[in-house]
Amino acid sequence: MPITIALAGNPNSGKTTVFNALTGSRQHVGNWPGVTVDKKEGQYCKDKNLTILDLPGTYSLSPYSAEELITRNYIVEERPACIIDVVDGTSLERNLYLALQIMETGTPTVLAVNMMDEVAAKGDVIDFARLEAELGVAVVPMEARNNKGLDQLMEAVNRTIGQNRRPRQLEIYSLAGKVDEDTLADRRYSYIQALVDTCVQSKKNQAVHGESLSDKLDKVLTHRFFALPVFALVMYALFAMTFSENFLFISGLPSPGIALATLVETLWGGLTRVVSTFLENAGAADWAYSLVVDGVLEGIGAIFGFLPLILVLYLLMSFLEDSGYMARVAFVMDRIFRRFGLSGRSFIPLLMGFGCSVPAIMATRTLDSEKDRRITTLLCGFMPCGAKLPIFIMFVSVFFAEGNKTLVLFFLYALSLSVSILVSLIINHIAYRGQVSNFLMELPHYRLPTLRSVWIHGYEKVKGFVQKAGTVILAATILIWLLSNFNMHSFTGENRLERGTLLAEMDDSFLASVGKAAAPVFKPAGFGAWKPTVGIATGWVAKEMVVVTLAQLYSEDVGEEYLEQYFASMDAAALKDLGFSDGIYSPAEAFDIYTEAVLMEGGDEHALLSIHADISTKQAALAYMAFNLLCMPCFAAVGAMKRELKSWRRTASAVGIQMATAYLVAVLINLVGSLF
Amino acid sequence: MTLGELRPGERARVLKIGTQGMLRQRILDMGITPSVEVKLVKVAPLGDPLELTLRGYQLSLRKSDAALIEVEKM
């Protein structure tokens, strides 16, 4: 019969480190119903009958935040066999406040006094026997980050469970409900203060001891003048290490994130080639071939392709979090972001959104409040991520050839930011009106995180993405494949009779029919034709697909003749540069190279001439770019949103807001633009 | 005076928390209770929030919240 032991404690008390040390890799991350808070469970690595549950980090059991409600309800209603309350030995006074509330519930409790190395460094001596006698619970000193004290902790837990030892009923517990909240909090803290005074011998004279390293660091990191430059530098480093293709300003040197992503792509490309060759040789039907190569492998590839970015970003994020710098990020940026109804911490996910929304959305987990997590997750979809850039570049070169291209790009970036701010303000106003400011926050000591804990965070994040977002991405990719490769004639057999294949051309597919039906909706935005509409839909597989799809749909403009003429003026070196093998023009490679190396880079101002019939004005082109910028992000990002928001309903309403915003903005641009 | 009027480096004793509901509970839970001694360590680079030391740890809170807490300078 498995026994559940719950881990409780303040944020920054090292609770998660204790959890990781006790459970090793046998963890399961689920979620608490109704909120965006992880529910982590694991088996104790030395006794499989003991399940350890990691409760959210809280400062008290007052029903103040989602985290506190969960912890409170769990302890009161589920009655775990034993609670391990992890307290930070360097600030016992505040940590014991939660401990007191936990012990008041009468649940068997063990106090794990963590960070004993820092306590010793501070010169404090804690009288554990006295603490144990006063509180009537086992008190165990430990250094979780160095794996010290774990066995003693679990022995104490076993003893507590075996004897069904309940905490001593202190006189102060009987006050609850009899006095007002001020008096109660004051009495609890007074009791703790007296307790700490008798149980801790501290060398309080800071003058002798001098400033700690943490204090010195903080002087620089939150300095009046240095704080912002240092912050900019840290953020730049975070972004560059994840997304930069010219790392450390060395041209062509990929950052760890990009290097890993390229490696995964290459490996996956190789595997795809092996499978496709095998299927060809085995004589697989073309629909089966297409399903495996363009549907399944493409979909799984899309999932894998994001893993390196998530891993690298999350390793860096957990380093910042564990080191204590993240709290300072909030401290420094709060003033700005509060105006928009967000917290300073939202800066990081939004910044990462400029690279890729998927790791950005995963990063919202580090935000403090439910509200901030939900709003920031939604806003990440508005960011001009790297995959949206090819759309903008192609449109700018085709529609704004003689205009100021930089100005158009700048407009889109500014649009993304202003729309985000506006949407955040509106949501705050409508859905979260009158919510209390949540900026009473501890600024923890700076600590050097352990490699192990940083690694576990990164690994958990990657695993969670594959498990929770993977199915969404794969299913959606296959759905779009199905819609763009089939029509009714596929099933009546007419395709086979007429064309010798089950599959349909894209301009005759279900997707085209859907596009034709939906196109009138976009009339007010200026691009109410079916081809641009289909482009938007394939953009949900991956945003840069918009360019590829448009090239396929306007194929009369990129016929063999056109391509041959376009590439004719180039010499062998230029052709090789673009990707033609051996620098020789070949019609077979021409289309792919044209879309990827020319269209996406904005190399051909006369590209896709017939698109001007569907998108006839500059404002319509701008509206189309804006729509692709703001509408539902790619399926991978939606999968990540689902993982973070933890419910289909919330994910659907977030996507709904994104679509509505995109539509409104596109229509507005087209209307205002046509006034000039 | 209120906590928001302290200057960096100054110490004060908390007298009264002039707000109700969730925020009051949160302020109390974080250890800002009547009679506790606090020190204003610094103001964030952009002028808000504030950093306090109390009960052996550092707490940050917004000026608007600090303005609700009555203190006497020590």
Side-chain angles (χ1 to χ4, degrees):
Chain A
M1 163 84 186
I3 296 171
T4 301
I5 296 159
L7 265 179
N10 285 185
N12 309 308
S13 62
K15 188 169 63 69
T16 305
T17 316
V18 174
F19 179 72
N20 289 337
L22 290 176
T23 60
S25 56
R26 273 174 292 274
Q27 299 185 1
H28 170 77
V29 185
N31 63 288
W32 297 95
V35 286
T36 62
V37 181
D38 276 336
K39 181 182 191 178
K40 288 208 261 180
E41 277 177 299
Q43 283 171 350
Y44 176 40
C45 50
K46 292 184 182 168
D47 182 355
K48 285 194 178 145
N49 285 323
L50 292 183
T51 302
I52 297 177
L53 174 72
D54 192 18
L55 291 168
T58 60
Y59 291 109
S60 82
L61 293 185
S62 310
Y64 173 84
S65 66
E67 283 81 356
E68 279 157 15
L69 260 177
I70 289 169
T71 305
R72 180 187 190 85
N73 290 346
Y74 182 83
I75 293 175
V76 174
E77 286 160 21
E78 307 288 326
R79 296 260 156 200
C82 180
I83 296 176
I84 299 173
D85 180 25
V86 183
V87 298
D88 174 354
T90 63
S91 77
L92 272 182
E93 214 172 306
R94 197 204 58 238
N95 277 264
L96 285 176
Y97 185 78
L98 174 69
L100 223 53
Q101 289 184 316
I102 291 174
M103 291 183 294
E104 189 174 320
T105 66
T107 318
T109 304
V110 173
L111 223 51
V113 181
N114 197 14
M115 319 241 176
M116 286 309 294
D117 44 346
E118 287 177 41
V119 174
K122 230 173 111 188
D124 288 359
V125 179
I126 301 174
D127 183 349
F128 291 101
R130 182 108 187 227
L131 212 51
E132 189 157 339
E134 286 287 338
L135 297 172
V137 300
V139 182
V140 185
M142 63 188 307
E143 288 168 38
R145 46 178 288 153
N146 301 324
N147 278 323
K148 281 190 199 163
L150 293 166
D151 289 342
Q152 291 87 329
L153 173 68
M154 290 314 283
E155 277 164 30
V157 167
N158 276 325
R159 249 182 293 127
T160 302
I161 295 175
Q163 301 163 357
N164 194 23
R165 180 182 183 188
R166 292 181 185 274
R168 196 157 78 94
Q169 276 306 302
L170 302 175
E171 202 182 323
I172 191 162
Y173 298 156
S174 61
L175 286 176
K178 288 188 196 146
V179 295
D180 61 33
E181 54 196 4
D182 277 40
T183 320
L184 186 61
D186 198 39
R187 291 285 287 276
R188 278 182 183 148
Y189 267 115
S190 307
Y191 171 80
I192 294 169
Q193 213 170 344
L195 182 70
V196 170
D197 280 346
T198 55
C199 296
V200 182
Q201 273 192 328
S202 82
K203 277 198 225 158
K204 257 196 178 147
N205 38 354
Q206 283 279 318
V208 177
H209 208 64
E211 276 185 335
S212 70
L213 184 63
S214 177
D215 294 338
K216 282 181 200 156
L217 255 175
D218 197 56
K219 282 232 161 106
V220 181
L221 295 179
T222 60
H223 186 271
R224 203 135 59 99
F225 305 121
F226 300 146
L228 290 173
V230 169
F231 173 71
L233 213 66
V234 172
M235 290 305 118
Y236 174 77
L238 194 65
F239 193 84
M241 282 173 86
T242 318
F243 299 116
S244 175
E245 294 184 3
N246 300 306
F247 190 46
L248 303 175
F249 302 104
I250 299 168
S251 171
L253 179 73
S255 64
I258 294 294
L260 274 173
T262 314
L263 182 71
V264 169
E265 258 170 50
T266 313
L267 289 177
W268 195 253
L271 184 70
T272 307
R273 268 193 301 282
V274 171
V275 173
S276 61
T277 318
F278 170 79
L279 287 176
E280 265 170 40
N281 293 342
D286 60 349
W287 65 268
Y289 174 87
S290 177
L291 170 66
V292 173
V293 176
D294 303 330
V296 178
L297 288 180
E298 175 91 22
I300 301 176
I303 302 165
F304 280 173
F306 289 110
L307 299 188
L309 298 182
I310 295 171
L311 181 71
V312 170
L313 178 62
Y314 229 74
L315 291 181
L316 297 170
M317 295 262 307
S318 31
F319 181 85
L320 290 185
E321 184 74 49
D322 291 1
S323 66
Y325 186 67
M326 204 65 102
R328 271 74 184 186
V329 169
F331 184 69
V332 171
M333 298 303 285
D334 179 66
R335 174 104 200 219
I336 300 175
F337 277 78
R338 179 188 346 161
R339 287 168 193 265
F340 312 144
L342 295 168
S343 94
R345 289 187 183 215
S346 304
F347 183 83
I348 291 178
L350 294 179
L351 174 75
M352 292 304 136
F354 280 73
C356 174
S357 335
V358 172
I361 290 169
M362 309 283 286
T364 59
R365 184 47 50 94
T366 53
L367 303 182
D368 302 302
S369 79
E370 181 84 13
K371 180 193 86 160
D372 292 349
R373 285 193 289 266
R374 289 191 191 171
I375 298 181
T376 311
T377 301
L378 192 157
L379 297 187
C380 282
F382 292 147
M383 296 295 119
C385 75
K388 290 174 186 168
L389 209 53
I391 311 176
F392 305 153
I393 290 178
M394 178 193 121
F395 270 75
V396 165
S397 78
V398 170
F399 285 90
F400 297 87
E402 68 280 17
N404 189 337
K405 298 178 181 176
T406 320
L407 196 66
V408 177
L409 282 181
F410 177 77
F411 170 78
L412 288 166
Y413 279 71
L415 182 73
S416 147
L417 293 184
S418 19
V419 166
S420 305
I421 291 171
L422 218 65
V423 168
S424 168
L425 286 177
I426 293 172
I427 297 180
N428 264 291
H429 191 72
I430 295 174
Y432 299 99
R433 195 201 294 245
Q435 268 215 352
V436 202
S437 105
N438 56 345
F439 205 73
L440 268 93
M441 179 187 78
E442 181 191 4
L443 293 170
H445 294 290
Y446 291 96
R447 301 190 167 98
L448 191 64
T450 59
L451 268 178
R452 185 182 145 80
S453 85
V454 168
W455 170 251
I456 288 182
H457 282 149
Y459 173 75
E460 282 298 320
K461 215 61 191 174
V462 167
K463 203 171 89 176
F465 177 72
V466 174
Q467 285 172 345
K468 301 272 157 52
T471 40
V472 180
I473 299 168
L474 190 60
T477 310
I478 292 178
L479 179 71
I480 289 284
W481 168 84
L482 204 80
L483 290 176
S484 55
N485 283 288
F486 288 80
N487 58 19
M488 280 317 285
H489 303 310
S490 305
F491 302 101
T492 57
E494 278 175 62
N495 276 352
R496 187 169 293 285
L497 277 177
E498 285 170 23
R499 309 186 33 226
T501 167
L502 234 99
L503 303 177
E505 286 295 328
M506 194 195 262
D507 55 10
D508 195 26
S509 65
F510 284 131
L511 195 62
S513 316
V514 174
K516 280 168 190 157
V521 174
F522 295 111
K523 273 260 150 48
F527 50 88
W530 71 271
K531 288 175 183 176
T533 309
V534 168
I536 291 169
T538 53
W540 294 329
V541 174
K543 287 283 170 174
E544 71 274 16
M545 284 292 290
V546 173
V547 176
V548 181
T549 304
L550 290 177
Q552 281 171 350
L553 294 177
Y554 294 103
S555 55
E556 67 267 32
D557 293 332
V558 277
E560 248 175 72
E561 224 167 286
Y562 179 84
L563 290 178
E564 207 177 318
Q565 225 170 12
Y566 180 80
F567 288 112
S569 58
M570 299 183 182
D571 58 14
L575 287 175
K576 190 162 186 171
D577 235 27
L578 287 173
F580 285 104
S581 28
D582 307 323
I584 300 163
Y585 176 79
S586 90
E589 292 173 314
F591 182 79
D592 286 349
I593 289 174
Y594 180 74
T595 51
E596 273 178 38
V598 178
L599 274 187
M600 289 191 187
E601 305 285 340
D604 185 6
E605 291 173 359
H606 308 291
L608 310 186
L609 280 177
S610 47
I611 200 174
H612 292 281
D614 289 340
I615 302 177
S616 57
T617 60
K618 282 195 161 81
Q619 60 266 23
L622 210 51
Y624 190 69
M625 287 190 269
F627 190 87
N628 277 298
L629 166 69
L630 302 173
C631 77
M632 179 166 91
C634 65
F635 292 132
V638 175
M641 281 167 74
K642 162 72 173 45
R643 195 198 112 82
E644 295 312 313
L645 296 173
K646 309 235 158 174
S647 99
W648 277 117
R649 199 178 58 79
R650 278 198 293 267
T651 311
S653 63
V655 168
I657 293 174
Q658 286 164 343
M659 296 297 277
T661 309
Y663 185 72
L664 273 176
V665 171
V667 170
L668 217 60
I669 288 175
N670 189 43
L671 278 181
V672 172
S674 41
L675 294 178
F676 295 100
Chain B
M1 68 187 303
T2 72
L3 192 52
E5 293 165 60
L6 285 185
R7 288 152 176 270
E10 289 183 336
R11 291 169 185 278
R13 188 179 299 284
V14 172
L15 297 175
K16 203 176 132 212
I17 292 132
T19 177
Q20 290 301 324
M22 300 270 268
L23 179 61
R24 180 196 195 86
Q25 189 62 52
R26 178 72 166 178
I27 290 172
L28 291 169
D29 284 345
M30 294 307 282
I32 306 183
T33 61
S35 84
V36 73
E37 188 188 321
V38 299
K39 178 183 164 193
L40 184 72
V41 182
K42 67 162 85 81
V43 180
L46 297 173
D48 199 12
L50 310 172
E51 180 179 343
L52 302 176
T53 296
L54 75 155
R55 303 193 185 276
Y57 81 103
Q58 276 76 44
L59 176 75
S60 104
L61 87 169
R62 288 178 178 159
K63 273 190 172 164
S64 56
D65 296 341
L68 303 169
I69 298 164
E70 227 172 275
V71 298
E72 62 173 351
K73 214 190 286 185
M74 292 172 58

